[in-house]
Amino acid sequence: MNDEQVPDEVELALRARLKTLQQEHADLEASIDALGHMPIPDQLMIARLKRKKLTLRDEIVKIEARILPDIIA
């Protein structure tokens, strides 16, 4: 399915982007957790952050699919 080989420089850029996205995802998770522990949590802000987190997750999955080859067992 993923028959194309990603050139080295492109792969390095993708890995750097992936690392950045994973850090942003972790930061959002921490923010959501912190907001959830407030006396009166801002549910609208939590929902927005969760939506952004899901968007980041989708982008992470797409980049991982480009970097990691499909393994046919």
Side-chain angles (χ1 to χ4, degrees):
M1 193 166 177
N2 192 4
D3 294 336
E4 61 191 58
Q5 189 67 13
V6 179
D8 288 341
E9 62 276 357
V10 173
E11 184 174 343
L12 288 174
L14 286 172
R15 287 187 184 280
R17 177 73 177 143
L18 180 62
K19 190 171 185 175
T20 301
L21 290 173
Q22 289 170 331
Q23 184 60 51
E24 286 180 37
H25 189 270
D27 292 345
L28 280 173
E29 179 64 32
S31 297
I32 292 167
D33 189 48
L35 283 171
H37 285 91
M38 294 186 73
I40 302 174
D42 184 349
Q43 294 300 327
L44 183 59
M45 180 60 78
I46 291 172
R48 287 178 179 160
L49 292 176
K50 284 183 176 182
R51 233 176 286 122
K52 182 170 174 124
K53 189 176 140 192
L54 283 173
T55 302
L56 286 175
R57 182 39 113 187
D58 289 344
E59 195 170 342
I60 288 169
V61 168
K62 287 177 188 175
I63 292 174
E64 286 175 340
R66 285 190 65 190
I67 294 173
L68 302 174
D70 290 339
I71 298 173
I72 301 173

